[in-house]
Amino acid sequence: MSAVTAAVRAGRTEEALSLLTGLADAERRALLPELKEIRKELRAGPWDSRSREVLPALHAAGAACHTGAAAAASWLSSSDLRWRQAAPELLLRALEGRESAWLGDVAHRLAQRPTSAGVPYALMSGLVRRSGCDVPVTDAYVIAWIQHVSGHGRRGSLVDRLRAEPDLVRLVAGFFDLMDLSEVRWMLGEDTGSWQYALAELTRQGSLDRADVVDACVARLLRGGGPTDHRVFLPLLVRLDLTRAEERARIADWTALARDAAAPVAGHAQSVLAALALDGELTHRRLAEASEGVLFRGEKKLVRAQLVLLGKVLSRRPDATAELLPAVALAFGHEDAQVQERALKLVERHAKRLDAALKSELAPATEQLTPGLRARAAGALGLAVAAPMAYEEVLPPAPEPVRLAAAPETAVELAEEVGALLASDGDVAAFERALDGLVRHAHRDREALLTALGPVIERRWWDDTGAELQGRAERYFGGSHLDLQGTEDALDLLLASLRGRVAASRLHPAARRGSIGPTCVHHGLADAFDARIREVARRLHADPPPLLLSTPTWSTGLLEPADLVGRLDTYRRLGARVGAADFAQALLRVRRGDRAAAAAAAERASALGTDEGERLARWLRAEPPAAPVAGRETRGARILVGYGEVPEMKEEFPVEFRALGASVTAHGSSRYCSHWNPGTRQHWLALLPERRELVAVRMVRDLSDTAVHDVRGGAVALPLLAESGGEAGECVHLCLAYGLAARHPEDRLAAVDALLVLAARGQLDPARLGADLGQLLRREAVKPLRLAESARQAAATGANATIWGMLRHTLPVLFADLATAAPAGSVGPVSAARGLGDLVAVAAECAERSGARGELPHLSRIADRRGSSRLVAEARRLRDALSARTAA
């Protein structure tokens, strides 16, 4: 051991650097293997006091011994040395005596490292000063500089500190070019100590070129970005207080910002353009170009402000009519009917100035107006009112179930599919195909299957061979308390069993029975799924069946009775033992809805002469009983549903399956639930593909959490629920109601998909769904604005009559509360009904487009209220649509 490495191992940094002073490059390089060996030891060892002492010395000595710039930069910024690196001044001492070009190269290489590397600013700036190279304007360097200048304990104001910076201009330019401000956003406030104030002040004083700063600021806003970007650069732009000449020179930029930037930036650009337009410094063509983009924005405040501006300009400049009114007409296509009406009023006000050519130009735009406004527009422009066309509901086609492909022919193909499933979680069809493939190939050639699966198994967490890790799989999968969490857990258990990592005795039902405590509402579904997978895993040890009886025929989990009879015949011919859980699952999946096919299959099953054949025949001949609804339950703001017993599912079934036929309450016998993985729900639906109400009743509380407690991902299974079979009853509709009002957009989108699928299949009851939503809105379990967004999305696909059929049963419940809460003629609680105006707007749109007519209880009392709130205005619009009156 050399003296240098002895000093490093002792943590004596100063001594190590002293010993390295004066050594030639070759002598330093010769020490590197010993230093790297120390580094390797520290990586493998625990993080303790010895590591904290040795790392700084190792960091500094390694920097001194690397003679290549790239290697030195890599050593200086390596992640394993970062946690206890040497002080920057010691590192600069270690690099003394190097040529300026070499130091500059290292400085630039360090500056190119990602910000997460945490290279100290003092080290990078020290290398820049010693080398005399240009300052590297990279994200890492600029962020480190900002943190350095903004650091606590620095003397003087931020303006004074920045003014003293030798590379101020280049680094400020780098500040404007930063890709991500998240690392420094906490240092960018809005008071007089902020960067925005300091940069504006330095610009005013002449330390920074004003034109450059203004251009850079506008360019950064044009580039867009997250909220932090406009919270930093918009206040700076405002503080720069641009002159009218500077604003005039950037009209194209303000136009682009008003059309496409974030709302606060667009609002500022809009105000600049408005001032220029009202002072006559913006041409009509430029104003029309800006309006084209703004009037298509979703922010109604910006759209209304633009219409107000256009109205003022049109009033002052009659010659602008030909160029500006076509721009106003663009707002006819806005989704908000109030915006459409504002634009129409503007056209009506100036209609007398329109010649025939301009009227013809505006005519196509009127087709985008709501039906009531369209008639007004036709009158204002002197157009013929077209006879309304008969409404035809347009629904997206319902997805068709897909027949499962046969299991992979070769073990190698199967291994590839299993690996893909473990990486992506897959769907039910892919999982069932792989499961059947594992069973078939284990029956044919277990060793060949294990060889093909070797690369997949070696990457799994449970396949460790170290003595201290032995038994991890058995402890995890053999635990009596554990329920499998979906595809990945199930495949891991099967592979671990096939590999011999879990003993067959740990997978026997007796090992789990009796040890499970109070159960949640999901336990029947979870137990049935677990029982089948564990039975397969247990049989993979020594008795793999030739195939699985319960592999579905269709992607929904449905099994054709003829397929099941054929598989039972295969078992009979081979003398194979039928697995209890496998057969139970097959019975629950087999199609019984087609009574003719079921009867024919029952005859063939009886002819097999086996116990299982007779059991299948009895099952197919029996009429599926209706699931008994036990009544509704209310828990706080929620409405939940309970179910009674289903006797046929408790008879002749293994004990793990009997809970499927047990009565269901809101929480089960315990509120504790370990079934956190939403991906598991697809397998639950495939358990009972013709009895989705029995699954839905166990999912109602999960769906309610998406609306009441803002839980994310709970509605992911709703489209699968809609595609499943059996009655779509009270539970399915209640699940859908909660999903339509979920907090997160992706959950609401899943609910909209489910609604459209049910409607396309003729299984949606709009009256039941609407009534449920009305009650949930009353209890504040559902927020009107969220429901409005979902209803608008569904209606946009063409389902106007469907959505109106739903909302016509929802709104009267709310209108009744509002109408009776305050005397007629007063504003009363209308202002408190946040989001209800949006919901009524969707209802009015759907009623207009579908040609709905009739009375809606309590609607007139809302429409007759004073004021012009969104709710009152849309209530009047809805009343006019239902009475077929033209809006006045």
Side-chain angles (χ1 to χ4, degrees):
M1 181 190 301
S2 68
V4 172
T5 52
V8 168
R9 287 185 179 277
R12 297 191 293 270
T13 308
E14 291 283 356
E15 180 182 339
L17 291 180
S18 298
L19 291 170
L20 287 167
T21 303
L23 292 183
D25 285 352
E27 293 175 301
R28 295 187 180 206
R29 286 195 296 270
L31 293 169
L32 283 174
E34 295 182 16
L35 296 176
K36 290 178 180 179
E37 185 60 31
I38 298 174
R39 182 181 181 182
K40 184 178 179 181
E41 292 172 10
L42 293 175
R43 279 177 177 169
W47 177 250
D48 54 15
S49 57
R50 177 177 177 270
S51 298
R52 292 193 291 273
E53 291 174 0
V54 175
L55 276 174
L58 177 63
H59 195 208
C65 290
H66 280 90
T67 57
S74 178
W75 181 275
L76 287 166
S77 59
S78 40
S79 58
D80 58 324
L81 301 175
R82 183 189 315 157
W83 309 114
R84 190 70 174 177
Q85 57 186 304
E89 55 271 18
L90 289 175
L91 295 174
L92 291 172
R93 268 185 55 196
L95 301 177
E96 282 178 349
R98 302 293 184 184
E99 295 178 354
S100 297
W102 190 91
L103 293 173
D105 191 4
V106 173
H108 278 262
R109 288 178 182 274
L110 291 175
Q112 292 291 341
R113 298 283 171 172
T115 306
S116 58
V119 181
Y121 173 74
L123 174 60
M124 292 187 288
S125 62
L127 291 171
V128 169
R129 287 195 307 272
R130 293 175 185 225
S131 66
C133 67
D134 290 335
V135 62
V137 188
T138 65
D139 278 17
Y141 193 93
V142 173
I143 287 173
W145 170 70
I146 293 172
Q147 293 170 339
H148 167 73
V149 174
S150 305
H152 294 296
R154 300 294 307 277
R155 292 186 177 182
S157 67
L158 181 58
V159 174
D160 293 335
R161 297 199 297 272
L162 286 172
R163 191 187 298 112
E165 286 292 312
D167 297 301
L168 176 66
V169 174
R170 286 177 57 82
L171 291 172
V172 166
F175 168 65
F176 282 105
D177 289 336
L178 282 177
M179 293 298 295
D180 184 9
L181 294 172
S182 59
E183 293 285 338
V184 293
R185 65 181 182 271
W186 307 115
M187 305 172 192
L188 306 172
E190 297 182 4
D191 55 15
T192 55
S194 69
W195 275 73
Q196 294 95 316
Y197 174 84
L199 293 178
E201 186 65 18
L202 290 171
T203 303
R204 186 186 64 79
Q205 295 173 4
S207 298
L208 296 171
D209 183 80
R210 180 177 178 84
D212 289 345
V213 174
V214 173
D215 286 343
C217 197
V218 172
R220 182 58 188 250
L221 292 173
L222 284 168
R223 194 177 88 183
T228 302
D229 290 56
H230 65 72
R231 288 172 187 164
V232 172
F233 297 106
L234 182 58
L236 173 57
L237 185 63
V238 172
R239 285 185 181 278
L240 290 171
D241 192 20
L242 271 60
T243 65
R244 181 51 58 88
E246 289 174 322
E247 290 176 342
R248 215 170 28 245
R250 295 172 174 81
I251 287 175
D253 294 333
W254 306 129
T255 300
L257 290 172
R259 293 163 64 115
D260 301 318
V265 180
H268 176 76
Q270 185 184 51
S271 66
V272 173
L273 290 172
L276 291 170
L278 294 175
D279 289 347
E281 299 184 73
L282 187 68
T283 66
H284 303 326
R285 182 177 297 278
R286 288 281 197 178
L287 179 56
E289 289 175 359
S291 300
E292 287 175 6
V294 175
L295 293 176
F296 275 111
R297 293 186 66 110
E299 300 91 346
K300 287 177 283 189
K301 181 178 179 181
L302 293 176
V303 175
R304 288 194 296 265
Q306 195 69 18
L307 289 173
V308 170
L309 171 62
L310 290 168
K312 289 180 179 179
V313 174
L314 284 166
S315 298
R316 297 181 185 185
R317 301 291 301 275
D319 60 315
T321 302
E323 287 189 285
L324 295 187
L325 274 188
V328 172
L330 292 173
F332 290 175
H334 198 277
E335 64 177 18
D336 190 292
Q338 287 184 309
V339 169
Q340 293 184 14
E341 187 168 13
R342 282 174 179 266
L344 178 56
K345 286 179 178 178
L346 201 51
V347 171
E348 289 173 330
R349 192 180 307 150
H350 300 280
K352 294 179 181 178
R353 303 178 191 168
L354 303 177
D355 55 25
L358 191 52
K359 288 181 179 181
S360 298
E361 184 180 347
L362 296 180
T366 63
E367 296 300 317
Q368 301 178 74
L369 291 166
T370 62
L373 296 179
R374 198 178 307 149
R376 274 177 52 180
L381 298 175
L383 304 173
V385 180
M389 297 178 63
Y391 176 75
E392 183 177 353
E393 185 84 338
V394 178
L395 294 170
E400 295 291 335
V402 178
R403 182 178 284 272
L404 261 67
E409 285 293 329
T410 68
V412 173
E413 290 176 312
L414 174 63
E416 291 175 353
E417 293 196 11
V418 170
L421 270 171
L422 288 169
S424 65
D425 216 27
D427 58 14
V428 168
F431 172 76
E432 291 289 347
R433 185 168 180 265
L435 180 60
D436 189 41
L438 286 171
V439 168
R440 289 173 183 266
H441 283 282
H443 180 77
R444 292 176 198 165
D445 190 338
R446 176 190 174 89
E447 292 307 316
L449 176 61
L450 275 171
T451 301
L453 288 169
V456 176
I457 292 176
E458 288 169 1
R459 295 194 295 269
R460 305 311 297 167
W461 59 267
W462 44 263
D463 195 47
D464 290 296
T465 56
E468 72 280 3
L469 300 176
Q470 287 289 344
R472 290 177 72 187
E474 189 156 294
R475 287 193 297 272
Y476 182 79
F477 292 114
S480 62
H481 64 284
L482 179 73
D483 288 322
L484 298 174
Q485 297 291 339
T487 299
E488 185 176 5
D489 256 9
L491 288 175
D492 270 331
L493 171 58
L494 294 167
L495 296 179
S497 179
L498 195 63
R499 182 81 156 194
R501 300 291 189 214
V502 182
S505 59
R506 298 297 298 271
L507 298 170
H508 198 276
R512 289 170 53 80
R513 196 172 301 155
S515 59
I516 302 175
T519 50
C520 69
V521 71
H522 308 113
H523 84 96
L525 300 167
D527 287 356
F529 178 74
D530 272 31
R532 176 179 176 236
I533 300 301
R534 291 177 185 277
E535 180 183 85
V536 173
R538 187 172 67 252
R539 296 192 67 180
L540 286 177
H541 273 276
D543 180 29
L547 51 84
L548 285 179
L549 296 173
S550 55
T551 301
T553 305
W554 302 98
S555 55
T556 58
L558 200 61
L559 173 58
E560 292 296 338
D563 291 347
L564 180 53
V565 174
R567 293 170 190 171
L568 283 174
D569 189 34
T570 300
Y571 268 66
R572 180 189 61 80
R573 286 187 292 102
L574 296 176
R577 181 171 63 87
V578 173
D582 184 29
F583 184 55
Q585 177 62 91
L587 291 178
L588 294 177
R589 280 180 171 168
V590 72
R591 184 198 293 272
R592 293 198 288 174
D594 185 340
R595 300 307 300 155
E603 293 299 322
R604 290 179 53 208
S606 290
L608 293 176
T610 62
D611 292 342
E612 289 79 15
E614 287 298 329
R615 174 77 176 94
L616 174 59
R618 292 197 305 273
W619 180 260
L620 289 173
R621 289 174 181 136
E623 284 281 349
V629 178
R632 293 196 164 199
E633 304 177 33
T634 57
R635 298 290 178 98
R638 302 185 233 218
I639 298 173
L640 303 172
V641 183
Y643 256 44
E645 288 191 350
V646 184
E648 75 156 5
M649 298 181 67
K650 301 185 71 175
E651 301 166 359
E652 298 185 63
F653 274 90
V655 65
E656 296 86 2
F657 285 76
R658 293 174 190 169
L660 292 173
S663 60
V664 178
T665 58
H667 295 282
S669 55
S670 170
R671 296 193 180 192
Y672 172 75
C673 178
S674 62
H675 308 105
W676 49 265
N677 184 2
T680 310
R681 286 153 178 71
Q682 62 176 337
H683 297 291
W684 292 348
L685 284 162
L687 285 172
L688 298 163
E690 279 193 319
R691 305 295 295 275
R692 61 180 158 194
E693 276 286 295
L694 293 180
V695 181
V697 72
R698 294 167 166 88
M699 292 170 57
V700 171
R701 183 173 180 83
D702 300 327
L703 268 298
S704 72
D705 284 339
T706 67
V708 178
H709 292 315
D710 299 346
V711 173
R712 186 188 295 271
V716 66
L718 274 178
L720 299 176
L721 185 66
E723 294 171 27
S724 191
E727 177 192 6
E730 185 170 9
C731 297
V732 170
H733 282 78
L734 194 55
C735 285
L736 182 58
Y738 282 118
L740 290 172
R743 162 67 177 82
H744 298 284
E746 60 269 28
D747 286 317
R748 293 198 298 271
L749 184 60
V752 169
D753 287 344
L755 182 150
L756 295 173
V757 169
L758 287 172
R761 298 179 69 186
Q763 297 169 340
L764 182 71
D765 185 344
R768 168 181 270 169
L769 179 59
D772 284 344
L773 286 166
Q775 294 302 321
L776 292 172
L777 283 162
R778 286 187 70 188
R779 302 179 69 85
E780 298 184 1
V782 163
K783 292 180 171 56
L785 193 57
R786 296 178 187 173
L787 177 58
E789 291 173 358
S790 295
R792 187 179 293 110
Q793 281 183 317
T797 67
N800 292 286
T802 299
I803 299 305
W804 168 244
M806 175 185 79
L807 293 180
R808 71 185 297 269
H809 292 90
T810 301
L811 293 176
V813 179
L814 308 177
F815 287 165
D817 290 344
L818 287 173
T820 57
S826 66
V827 176
V830 173
S831 58
R834 184 176 180 272
L836 184 53
D838 295 84
L839 190 59
V840 178
V842 178
E845 177 85 8
C846 292
E848 288 171 340
R849 295 192 180 280
S850 64
R853 299 289 183 269
E855 294 289 331
L856 194 66
H858 309 290
L859 173 61
S860 292
R861 296 189 64 179
I862 304 301
D864 288 339
R865 292 178 182 272
R866 295 195 303 266
S868 58
S869 69
R870 180 82 189 277
L871 174 57
V872 172
E874 296 296 346
R876 292 168 184 162
R877 176 187 167 199
L878 177 57
R879 181 177 61 182
D880 291 342
L882 294 177
S883 61
R885 292 189 310 198
T886 300

